[in-house]
Amino acid sequence: MSYLDQTLTFTDNKICYIDGDTELQVMMDWEDEIMSASAAYVCQNGGDILEIGFGMGISAGYIQSHSINSHTIIENHPDVISKAQTWAQGKSNVTIVTGSWYDVKNDLATYDGVFYDTWGDDNMNQFSSSLLSLMKAGGVATWWNNEPTATNYYNIPNVTYDTHNVTPTENCYFNHTTYYLPKCQH
């Protein structure tokens, strides 16, 4: 069964689902500091922000705390879409786009900041070749980095890293004490 067909469970500190006998965490609240730093980076120049993946809405809240013009969020999981739509109510600068980011990328504008953080994304290997077409000149981007070092998984040119000390709750996706936040400028 694909991730998009899974029924997600939402608690105060995580999103998860059961695959066989195993709980798989999609996102957890221990990521808060990383989401804050990611939002600060993509919002450093203000303007128009693209967020690919809503998750628990942690980064979305931080993005909204910055002075920006617009905030476009793309989400593809049906259970998360409804959470994102509810969260966006009353936020005039937020647009929720449903579906795969890769399927809608040619219909999008260009952005001053791009934050990519998805789970179970069948098109994740297309991110690097699509990134520049989503960014304005001078724009910045970051993405979730599962690597325990300054490893450039997507092979995106001119990436630097900030390090953050983290204390993750045991999970299925990141169990290291140093997080390498990738930073890329167009």
Side-chain angles (χ1 to χ4, degrees):
M1 183 181 301
S2 83
Y3 164 66
L4 294 178
D5 296 324
Q6 299 287 343
T7 299
L8 301 180
T9 299
F10 296 82
T11 68
D12 288 343
N13 65 349
K14 66 184 172 186
I15 301 172
C16 62
Y17 63 93
I18 304 297
D19 186 14
D21 294 331
T22 305
E23 177 184 279
L24 298 176
Q25 302 82 25
V26 174
M27 186 173 190
M28 300 178 80
D29 65 354
W30 70 263
E31 298 175 40
D32 188 273
E33 178 191 335
I34 297 167
M35 297 297 110
S36 175
S38 298
Y41 179 65
V42 299
C43 295
Q44 68 185 4
N45 299 321
D48 303 309
I49 308 301
L50 174 62
E51 181 176 12
I52 303 172
F54 181 76
M56 294 173 69
I58 299 170
S59 54
Y62 283 119
I63 288 169
Q64 283 293 300
S65 75
H66 293 273
S67 181
I68 59 171
N69 296 336
S70 71
H71 182 186
T72 301
I73 300 169
I74 304 173
E75 178 56 55
N76 66 346
H77 196 288
D79 296 346
V80 180
I81 289 169
S82 62
K83 300 277 187 189
Q85 290 170 331
T86 298
W87 175 88
Q89 290 176 354
K91 295 175 177 73
S92 61
N93 69 338
V94 174
T95 301
I96 304 293
V97 177
T98 61
S100 162
W101 71 271
Y102 190 74
D103 292 343
V104 301
K105 69 180 176 57
N106 294 331
D107 298 325
L108 298 172
T110 55
Y111 299 90
D112 298 290
V114 176
F115 179 40
Y116 175 81
D117 183 4
T118 63
W119 176 268
D121 181 4
D122 292 337
N123 297 301
M124 67 183 283
N125 290 326
Q126 305 303 318
F127 177 64
S128 60
S129 62
S130 303
L131 180 59
L132 290 182
S133 69
L134 298 171
M135 296 172 67
K136 293 179 182 176
V140 297
T142 190
W143 50 91
W144 176 261
N145 180 20
N146 275 335
E147 303 299 324
T149 62
T151 302
N152 190 340
Y153 175 84
Y154 294 109
N155 296 313
I156 294 170
N158 304 317
V159 174
T160 60
Y161 295 87
D162 284 347
T163 57
H164 295 266
N165 294 325
V166 295
T167 309
T169 306
E170 186 176 332
N171 63 78
C172 65
Y173 59 92
F174 190 88
N175 288 291
H176 309 283
T177 56
T178 302
Y179 179 81
Y180 290 82
L181 177 74
K183 296 167 55 173
C184 170
Q185 184 167 4
H186 179 30

